[in-house]
Amino acid sequence: MGGFLIKSLYFSIDPSLRSRLGLVFQEGETIFNWGIGVVLRSEHPEVKFGDRIEGVFNFEEYTIRYGMKGDTAAQCLTRVENRHKLPWSVFVGAIGISGKTAYYGWKEFSHAKAGEVVYVSTGAGAVGSIVIQLAKRDGLKVIASAGSEEKVKLLKDIGVDVAFNYKTTKTSDVLQKEGPIDIYWDNVGGEMLESSLDASSNGARIIICGAISGYNSGNAQPIRNLVQLIYKSITLYGLYVYEYDHKYREEFYQVMPDLIAKGEIKYAEDVTIGLEKVGETILAQQKGLNTGKSIIKVTETE
Amino acid sequence: MGGFLIKSLYFSIDPSLRSRLGLVFQEGETIFNWGIGVVLRSEHPEVKFGDRIEGVFNFEEYTIRYGMKGDTAAQCLTRVENRHKLPWSVFVGAIGISGKTAYYGWKEFSHAKAGEVVYVSTGAGAVGSIVIQLAKRDGLKVIASAGSEEKVKLLKDIGVDVAFNYKTTKTSDVLQKEGPIDIYWDNVGGEMLESSLDASSNGARIIICGAISGYNSGNAQPIRNLVQLIYKSITLYGLYVYEYDHKYREEFYQVMPDLIAKGEIKYAEDVTIGLEKVGETILAQQKGLNTGKSIIKVTETE
């Protein structure tokens, strides 16, 4: 069976890339992550010229592949439809891995009820901002934090009830005043997770989606108060998005592109042009300098 | 409505008592915990002479109460039946709070399937030993640890497949060899929880039942590798037994006394006579010197 040639268009830059350096990614090797490309030539019966393909790509301008199926969900390629004529960059963000992480995790683990209180850390990030909007649609009170005044403004724009800058306001103070919290969406780990455990209601759900505070410290920041799990019947869910792809993928593509096209779910992007900028873009994200989904646009033109 | 006078018979000594010292229990005040007593006199229409009553009692020889209902499940008193003529001490252990903790937690959170692997820390303890036997009945491979050769022998007697002394054998070595583990029943926290996270299978369930390693250190031992929750879709459940009393209580009393009377579930007891021995009994348990359920028999004769 013949192969097909894909021109890379957009790559997703995710905080978790950091955790793979030196483990999954060895020095001198090409790194890879979620992306989208366009088929320039195909000798494969199921793939044709002009198809837009989503999946995990090596960070290179052109890729040759020989099939759509991979060993794991993450390795599978998928042809994407764009009925709403959305910008293709959205397919690595709000309708890509970030949107899926938010949507699958929220549906599977939040057990959200209207009137409950949720706290979202890194609320201005690609995943957090979608979680916030899903929570608002479900009728929850949303507390969210970010690391700059600009990001706090973005939080307010997407409907957050209590938005704060965690660098100038103590998380534990806010949660004590505005909590207790029924759900915590954790992108950070460390101190914020500890504060959230302390401020949890009885029966709270905590969704562990990321641990950015630990990626750069060599050792993750330790959690000292897990005993709160016992006292308050708290459940901690580890969210590995690929596990839930078979369960929610179809629903996701029915629901999200439509909500985004109508403007009912908003997204922000931080696009950097050029593969040679990948290194500094990862670094900027680890420093929290991006606002919205961090994306590499591989070449100037699609 | 009149009250009733209860003579205290047996009190449960639990590792978690330690965590309440200075918090729930203030210096100079009477401590309290699960126990069983017999009614000596009653002016209450629902309670009569000779009734055996289970509930949370102050640690004193006689108690006067005015009703069976409390504000919380833990404060409620319950009349217990003893169709199988079991020793009354069992009603603070295998058919009391320890058995319920094991049974409710296993039923609610383990999602056990035959052929899976479970690791139980403090397997020779009152809760752990019941968990082990429930797991064996469900067809699992059971790994369990304890802190002495005598306790390791007890583990083998109740059917543990891989029993080890954690003081002479490294937990992480055993789990690496005999795992990965699908379920971890955690009575300890600290290093054992970290090793279990590292040795978990994809989709593992961890039931946090106790954190004895942290009760005496002022600060609980921190957990550094919660990021494993993400990588392996692990769920951590905090087990607060009272939360599940309404759901499993009836089933529990139908199932467990029968299994115990038939010898299909075994239990061990470590009974100390005399209220004046409570202090040293709590200390001995914190040091791991008891084998089996630690119980105070209030007076020489029932």
Side-chain angles (χ1 to χ4, degrees):
Chain A
M1 208 183 284
F4 47 99
L5 174 69
I6 306 173
K7 178 181 192 293
S8 305
L9 299 177
Y10 296 97
F11 292 138
S12 173
I13 301 297
D14 300 312
S16 59
L17 284 172
R18 174 66 185 86
S19 67
R20 295 190 229 162
L21 294 178
L23 292 170
V24 181
F25 304 145
Q26 300 300 330
E27 203 176 334
E29 290 178 9
T30 309
I31 69 170
F32 49 85
N33 198 23
W34 289 90
I36 185 166
V38 59
V39 175
L40 294 189
R41 183 184 161 173
S42 174
E43 294 172 357
H44 190 287
E46 293 171 25
V47 180
K48 57 180 203 301
F49 173 81
D51 280 352
R52 306 283 167 150
I53 305 282
E54 177 215 47
V56 169
F57 293 93
N58 280 335
F59 276 24
E60 49 197 13
E61 289 189 32
Y62 297 92
T63 300
I64 294 173
R65 297 285 274 267
Y66 293 90
M68 300 290 272
K69 290 272 164 238
D71 290 335
T72 67
Q75 288 166 353
C76 288
L77 300 178
T78 321
R79 186 182 300 103
V80 289
E81 307 293 333
N82 191 356
R83 297 189 309 272
H84 300 85
K85 308 287 175 209
L86 295 165
W88 286 106
S89 59
V90 183
F91 286 80
V92 296
I95 319 180
I97 190 64
S98 310
K100 286 171 189 167
T101 300
Y103 191 92
Y104 299 178
W106 186 255
K107 292 285 166 181
E108 182 72 14
F109 298 128
S110 75
H111 308 292
K113 287 183 284 290
E116 286 192 323
V117 179
V118 60
Y119 168 50
V120 182
S121 56
T122 64
V127 175
S129 62
I130 306 283
V131 171
I132 286 165
Q133 295 174 82
L134 292 173
K136 286 310 297 176
R137 294 179 68 81
D138 282 349
L140 279 79
K141 170 178 165 180
V142 178
I143 306 169
S145 57
S148 73
E149 295 309 314
E150 183 195 357
K151 290 181 183 179
V152 169
K153 190 183 168 309
L154 185 147
L155 294 181
K156 288 174 183 163
D157 289 346
I158 59 174
V160 168
D161 300 286
V162 181
F164 68 99
N165 180 342
Y166 73 88
K167 290 180 180 168
T168 56
T169 309
K170 235 178 125 182
T171 302
S172 55
D173 290 347
V174 176
L175 297 185
Q176 198 155 15
K177 181 162 172 264
E178 301 288 345
I181 55 175
D182 304 296
I183 304 166
Y184 170 44
W185 187 286
D186 182 33
N187 288 309
V188 176
E191 234 181 272
M192 280 189 188
L193 177 52
E194 287 192 341
S195 298
S196 295
L197 283 164
D198 286 338
S200 281
S201 69
N202 208 35
R205 290 80 70 193
I206 297 183
I207 302 159
I208 309 284
C209 177
I212 196 169
S213 73
Y215 292 153
N216 295 302
S217 63
N219 241 333
Q221 289 189 35
I223 302 299
R224 289 174 199 84
N225 59 345
L226 276 184
V227 73
Q228 293 286 1
L229 265 64
I230 305 176
Y231 298 153
K232 296 191 280 198
S233 297
I234 300 167
T235 305
L236 246 72
Y237 297 102
L239 170 57
Y240 189 65
V241 59
Y242 315 128
E243 287 286 327
Y244 302 95
D245 200 55
H246 64 285
K247 188 167 175 183
Y248 293 108
R249 188 183 180 86
E250 203 177 321
E251 175 187 325
F252 175 83
Y253 279 111
Q254 276 166 9
V255 171
M256 282 292 278
D258 201 48
L259 289 173
I260 286 168
K262 287 179 184 159
E264 292 185 24
I265 286 194
K266 294 173 184 156
Y267 65 94
E269 292 179 343
D270 196 325
V271 179
T272 306
I273 297 171
L275 262 188
E276 70 281 6
K277 298 276 179 63
V278 165
E280 62 194 69
T281 305
I282 289 176
L283 183 62
Q285 182 179 56
Q286 292 293 319
K287 289 180 174 172
L289 300 177
N290 61 307
T291 298
K293 174 72 190 178
S294 180
I295 295 172
I296 289 288
K297 185 177 184 182
V298 179
T299 50
E300 189 75 49
T301 54
E302 277 192 19
Chain B
M1 209 183 283
F4 46 100
L5 173 69
I6 306 174
K7 178 179 191 294
S8 305
L9 299 178
Y10 296 97
F11 293 136
S12 172
I13 301 297
D14 299 314
S16 60
L17 284 171
R18 175 65 185 88
S19 68
R20 296 189 228 161
L21 293 178
L23 293 168
V24 180
F25 303 145
Q26 298 301 330
E27 205 178 332
E29 290 177 10
T30 309
I31 70 169
F32 50 84
N33 198 22
W34 289 89
I36 184 165
V38 57
V39 175
L40 294 189
R41 182 183 162 171
S42 173
E43 294 172 357
H44 189 288
E46 291 171 27
V47 180
K48 59 180 198 303
F49 173 80
D51 279 354
R52 304 283 166 150
I53 304 284
E54 178 218 47
V56 169
F57 294 92
N58 279 336
F59 275 25
E60 50 196 12
E61 289 189 30
Y62 297 92
T63 300
I64 294 171
R65 297 285 273 267
Y66 294 91
M68 300 289 275
K69 290 272 166 237
D71 290 337
T72 67
Q75 289 166 354
C76 287
L77 300 178
T78 321
R79 187 181 300 103
V80 288
E81 307 292 334
N82 191 356
R83 296 189 308 272
H84 300 85
K85 307 290 175 205
L86 296 166
W88 287 105
S89 58
V90 183
F91 286 80
V92 296
I95 318 179
I97 189 64
S98 309
K100 287 171 189 168
T101 301
Y103 191 92
Y104 299 179
W106 186 255
K107 292 285 166 179
E108 181 73 14
F109 298 128
S110 73
H111 308 293
K113 287 184 284 288
E116 286 192 324
V117 179
V118 59
Y119 169 48
V120 182
S121 57
T122 65
V127 174
S129 62
I130 306 283
V131 170
I132 286 165
Q133 295 175 81
L134 293 173
K136 285 311 296 176
R137 295 179 68 82
D138 282 349
L140 281 79
K141 170 179 166 179
V142 178
I143 306 169
S145 57
S148 73
E149 294 310 314
E150 183 195 356
K151 290 180 184 179
V152 168
K153 190 183 167 309
L154 185 146
L155 294 180
K156 288 174 183 164
D157 289 345
I158 58 174
V160 168
D161 299 286
V162 180
F164 69 99
N165 180 342
Y166 72 88
K167 290 181 179 167
T168 56
T169 309
K170 236 178 126 185
T171 303
S172 56
D173 289 346
V174 177
L175 297 185
Q176 198 154 15
K177 180 162 171 263
E178 301 288 345
I181 55 175
D182 304 296
I183 304 167
Y184 171 43
W185 187 285
D186 181 32
N187 288 309
V188 176
E191 235 181 273
M192 281 190 188
L193 177 53
E194 287 191 341
S195 297
S196 296
L197 284 162
D198 286 339
S200 281
S201 70
N202 209 34
R205 290 80 70 195
I206 296 182
I207 301 160
I208 308 284
C209 176
I212 195 169
S213 74
Y215 292 154
N216 296 301
S217 63
N219 241 334
Q221 287 190 37
I223 302 299
R224 292 174 196 82
N225 59 345
L226 276 185
V227 74
Q228 293 284 3
L229 265 63
I230 305 175
Y231 297 152
K232 297 192 278 199
S233 298
I234 299 167
T235 305
L236 246 71
Y237 297 102
L239 171 57
Y240 189 65
V241 59
Y242 315 128
E243 288 286 326
Y244 302 95
D245 198 57
H246 63 286
K247 188 168 174 183
Y248 293 108
R249 187 184 181 85
E250 203 176 324
E251 177 186 325
F252 176 83
Y253 279 111
Q254 276 165 8
V255 172
M256 283 291 278
D258 201 47
L259 289 173
I260 286 168
K262 287 180 187 158
E264 291 185 26
I265 285 194
K266 293 173 184 154
Y267 63 93
E269 292 180 341
D270 197 325
V271 178
T272 306
I273 297 170
L275 263 188
E276 69 281 7
K277 299 277 178 62
V278 165
E280 62 196 70
T281 305
I282 290 176
L283 183 62
Q285 182 178 57
Q286 292 293 320
K287 289 180 174 172
L289 301 178
N290 62 306
T291 298
K293 173 70 189 180
S294 180
I295 296 172
I296 288 289
K297 184 176 183 183
V298 179
T299 51
E300 189 75 47
T301 55
E302 274 194 18

